[in-house]
């Protein structure tokens, strides 16, 4: 079932979008939020569990101090106020992947609140107000077996893995974001990208969207243009790439407008994002907060971080990303446009690491923005999830600098890296990619090309040096691209000069 969509420009002519973003960050603590179970990703199902995270009777939770520390640092980095005293709360609902029948979360007493993040969108800065950042625990994972979609509908049976149950999460909730107009999809993407960057800089999570250690839920509503009201919102869950965040916002805007334009009304519900088809489908009707019957968690003492500790943690914050960007731009000598494109492609951190690994700034930028961005786009993934690392790019560039590869051959090394064929050197060896530096072989290839193209050779002899391009092309073809074009040109001019 495909929804009718209204063209994006028509949506903007009639409506103002409002957005709310909820981002869950899985912390990289060694143990879970309320018990000592390990948190490693990818372990055998149900091997990282204990009576506490399974919710067995009589089990008593205790708060992970490192998780509180990470929560405070995230709050401070988002310019939030830090609560002097706050409690956990039970959020009551039944779901098979939640063994306690309630999630230990925070409700009206979050650890951090009233902050903001200045998001860079194109040439402008857009301030996103943060309502709160609170601590909670993750649920387990259901696996629906049988059926085509992997979803519960049509499945033969379901399995549940509680390894993830109880892993510390920080949920960061924005205030309603308005005044965006056509930039709404772009702002959503830029916000999540910049937030991810900040989380990485803080070192509190691996921040892998593809593994779910950062998950974004996108709330969206439309109001008739100029009325300043908020429409009914839908919440699209677990959008797991930056590109999808942008697409999901745009899709929901176009779908809402179609429903409203037909005189219908938007149902307050959760929606599922489908990465493959780029659409959302209806999930469950969204509960209001009161349906969860929140109450203060009686088994945990309140969290009351001292002001001294908070100030100490403030001293550990990394450089503000906006300030850092300005510094890097001047260090790298990038133009405003180059810097904007780098940030826009979500490649800033990658370029930075590539330069740190030894590549020249322009070379790092060229590979990530020219080559990797295109490949990510072709395969519909994020540039950071491609499987090519900054160390790889720096290594390949070193081979170019040393004269082992030219750019064309380097691209083939990247093909090999993406195909998992090993290290750059292994790929160069296995695919036979190194530049032929044997002068005898080069010279012979140049002679062949001259003999095969006497007209061109005559032109060069007459001083029309521009004609050399045709001969260089012929030699490169003969050498299967594995020659240094500059050296070939020199040889041609020497022979015909
Ligand atoms: Zn446990």
């Amino acid at each position: 079932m495909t929804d009718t969509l209204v063209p994006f420009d028509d949506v903007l002519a009639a409506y103002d979008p409002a957005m709310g973003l909820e981002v869950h960050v899985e912390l990289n603590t060694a143990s879970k939020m309320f018990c000592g179970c390990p948190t490693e990703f990818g372990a055998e199902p149900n091997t990282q569990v204990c009576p506490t995270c399974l919710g067995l009777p009589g089990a008593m939770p205790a708060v992970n101090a490192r998780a509180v520390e990470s929560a405070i640092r995230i709050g401070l980095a988002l310019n939030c106020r830090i609560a002097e005293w706050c409690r956990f709360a039970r959020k009551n609902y039944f779901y098979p992947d939640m063994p306690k029948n309630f999630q230990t979360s925070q409700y009206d007493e979050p650890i951090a609140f009233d902050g903001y993040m200045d998001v860079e969108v194109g040439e402008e800065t857009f301030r996103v107000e943060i309502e709160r950042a609170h601590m909670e625990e993750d649920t387990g994972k259901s696996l629906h077996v049988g059926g085509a979609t992997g979803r519960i509908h049509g499945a033969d049976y379901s399995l549940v893995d509680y390894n993830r149950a109880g892993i510390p999460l920080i949920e960061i909730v924005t205030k309603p974001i308005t005044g965006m107009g056509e930039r709404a999809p772009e702002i959503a993407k830029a916000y999540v990208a910049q937030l991810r960057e900040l989380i990485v800089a803080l070192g509190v999570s691996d921040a892998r969207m593809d593994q779910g250690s950062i998950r974004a839920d996108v709330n969206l509503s439309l109001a008739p243009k100029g009325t300043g009201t908020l429409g009914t919102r839908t919440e699209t869950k677990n959008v797991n790439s930056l590109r999808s965040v942008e697409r999901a916002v745009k899709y929901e805007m176009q779908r809402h407008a179609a429903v409203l334009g037909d005189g219908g009304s938007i149902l307050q519900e959760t929606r599922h994002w489908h990465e493959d088809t780029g659409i959302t489908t209806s999930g469950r009707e969204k509960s209001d907060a009161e349906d969860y019957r929140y109450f203060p968690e009686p088994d945990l003492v309140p969290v009351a971080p001292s002001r001294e500790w908070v100030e100490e943690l403030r001293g550990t914050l990394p450089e503000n990303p906006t300030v850092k960007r300005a510094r890097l731009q001047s260090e790298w000598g990038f133009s405003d446009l180059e810097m904007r494109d780098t940030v826009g492609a979500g490649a800033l951190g990658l370029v930075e690491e590539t330069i740190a690994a030894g590549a020249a700034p322009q070379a790092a930028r060229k590979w990530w923005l020219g080559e990797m961005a295109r490949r990510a786009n072709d395969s519909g993934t994020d540039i950071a999830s491609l499987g090519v690392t900054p160390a790889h790019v720096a290594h390949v560039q070193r081979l170019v600098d040393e004269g082992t590869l030219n750019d064309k051959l380097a691209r083939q090394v990247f093909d090999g890296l993406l195909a998992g064929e090993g290290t750059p050197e292994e790929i160069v060896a296995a695919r036979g990619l190194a530049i032929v530096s044997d002068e005898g072989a080069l010279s012979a290839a140049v002679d062949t090309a001259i003999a095969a193209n006497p007209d061109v050779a005559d032109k060069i002899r007459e001083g029309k040096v521009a004609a050399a391009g045709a001969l260089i092309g012929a030699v490169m073809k003969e050498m299967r691209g594995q020659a240094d074009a500059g050296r070939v040109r020199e040889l041609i001019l020497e022979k015909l000069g």
Side-chain angles (χ1 to χ4, degrees):
M1 180 198 68
T2 308
D3 291 295
T4 317
L5 299 181
V6 169
F8 193 61
D9 287 343
D10 296 352
V11 178
L12 297 165
Y15 300 99
D16 291 323
M19 196 163 70
L21 297 164
E22 297 173 12
V23 174
H24 286 88
V25 177
E26 211 176 79
L27 298 180
N28 58 4
T29 53
S31 59
K32 291 188 181 180
M33 187 76 213
F34 303 113
C35 64
C37 289
T39 55
E40 253 157 73
F41 184 80
E44 279 292 297
N46 296 309
T47 55
Q48 299 179 342
V49 292
C50 74
T52 299
C53 56
L54 288 177
L56 299 186
M60 286 295 276
V63 178
N64 181 332
R66 178 51 68 87
V68 176
E69 180 186 299
S70 295
I72 294 173
R73 292 180 71 233
I74 290 173
L76 290 171
L78 291 170
N79 305 294
C80 287
R81 295 164 60 195
I82 304 300
E84 299 198 15
W85 190 92
C86 65
R87 283 179 298 187
F88 285 94
R90 292 189 180 183
K91 182 182 184 182
N92 297 281
Y93 64 103
F94 171 77
Y95 208 73
D97 62 16
M98 206 175 53
K100 299 189 294 190
N101 283 346
F102 61 85
Q103 180 188 30
T104 308
S105 180
Q106 292 195 289
Y107 180 45
D108 50 354
E109 299 167 342
I111 182 112
F113 53 95
D114 280 350
Y116 63 87
M117 185 162 83
D118 286 329
V119 179
E120 286 181 31
V121 187
E123 288 177 65
E124 289 161 44
T125 300
F126 190 95
R127 177 161 292 191
V128 172
E129 309 266 357
I130 307 290
E131 184 177 297
R132 55 195 277 145
H134 69 251
M135 301 180 280
E136 60 183 35
E137 58 179 335
D138 212 344
T139 60
K141 248 185 196 167
S142 298
L143 178 67
H144 306 296
V145 182
T149 59
R151 293 183 187 275
I152 196 162
H153 296 286
D156 297 327
Y157 59 93
S158 297
L159 298 170
V160 67
D161 174 8
Y162 292 119
N163 282 353
R164 201 179 66 179
I167 287 190
L169 292 180
I170 304 300
E171 179 173 348
I172 300 156
V173 183
T174 66
K175 291 182 180 165
I177 309 166
T178 56
M180 300 176 290
E182 63 179 353
R183 295 182 300 167
E186 212 186 334
I187 288 171
K189 179 186 175 190
Y191 168 77
V192 178
Q194 205 169 306
L195 182 56
R196 186 183 166 278
E197 222 176 270
L198 187 66
I199 297 294
V200 169
L202 285 164
V204 294
S205 168
D206 16 329
R208 293 274 304 259
M209 288 193 89
D210 58 329
Q211 286 185 358
S213 51
I214 283 202
R215 312 196 280 273
D217 300 338
V218 176
N219 288 276
L220 187 107
S221 65
L222 293 182
K225 203 169 181 62
T227 55
T229 56
L230 289 177
T232 304
R233 67 191 162 89
T234 52
E235 180 181 351
T236 303
K237 303 290 281 182
N238 293 342
V239 188
N240 61 6
S241 74
L242 294 176
R243 185 166 167 266
S244 300
V245 169
E246 187 173 25
R247 289 166 79 205
V249 170
K250 190 169 180 192
Y251 180 87
E252 277 297 282
M253 285 174 69
Q254 294 178 280
R255 190 186 67 82
H256 278 220
V259 173
L260 296 170
D262 280 350
S265 51
I266 297 294
L267 183 66
Q268 186 174 322
E269 62 176 356
T270 61
R271 310 270 307 171
H272 295 298
W273 169 251
H274 299 269
E275 185 74 43
D276 46 353
T277 48
I279 66 167
T280 67
T281 56
S282 184
R284 62 183 157 83
E285 214 170 313
K286 177 71 179 168
S287 312
D288 285 320
E290 55 265 33
D291 295 330
Y292 290 117
R293 299 294 183 269
Y294 280 96
F295 66 85
E297 167 61 60
D299 288 345
L300 289 168
V301 294
V303 174
S306 75
R307 295 302 94 178
E308 292 74 28
W309 189 36
V310 170
E311 288 317 306
E312 198 182 300
L313 292 177
R314 196 189 298 279
T316 71
L317 294 186
E319 187 179 10
N320 174 297
T322 314
V323 175
K324 181 175 175 180
R325 248 191 290 269
R327 175 175 63 78
L328 291 178
Q329 182 178 350
S330 107
E331 282 176 16
W332 297 344
F334 281 12
S335 69
D336 288 350
L337 181 66
E338 287 170 344
M339 198 63 185
R340 217 161 45 237
D341 286 350
T342 306
V343 172
L348 186 70
L350 298 165
V351 168
E352 186 188 3
E353 288 174 49
T354 306
I355 293 167
Q362 286 298 351
R365 189 187 67 81
K366 178 187 78 182
W367 290 122
W368 284 108
L369 267 73
E371 198 62 20
M372 300 308 147
R374 181 180 61 73
R375 290 165 190 257
N377 200 38
D378 288 351
S379 58
T381 51
D382 282 331
I383 196 164
S385 312
L386 268 179
V388 171
T389 65
H392 285 144
V393 174
H395 192 156
V396 171
Q397 179 58 38
R398 191 160 69 241
L399 296 176
V400 173
D401 293 340
E402 288 167 3
T404 306
L405 296 175
N406 56 26
D407 283 5
K408 185 163 175 256
L409 296 169
R411 281 186 202 99
Q412 295 180 50
V413 176
F414 288 124
D415 289 339
L417 283 167
L418 289 171
E421 292 172 15
T423 67
E425 253 125 14
E426 285 164 356
I427 294 164
V428 168
R431 291 192 173 206
L433 294 177
I435 283 179
V436 175
S437 52
D438 175 352
E439 284 280 319
L442 270 187
S443 176
V446 169
D447 290 342
T448 309
I450 290 172
N453 299 278
D455 301 351
V456 180
D458 284 343
K459 281 186 189 161
I460 299 170
R461 283 193 192 95
E462 289 158 18
K464 290 177 187 152
V465 176
L471 288 185
I472 295 170
V475 174
M476 293 302 279
K477 196 172 169 200
E478 166 84 17
M479 304 294 293
R480 292 174 33 242
Q482 290 172 245
D484 175 352
R487 181 66 193 134
V488 171
R489 185 186 159 83
E490 280 170 17
L491 282 174
I492 291 169
L493 296 182
E494 272 170 30
K495 287 174 191 280
L496 301 176

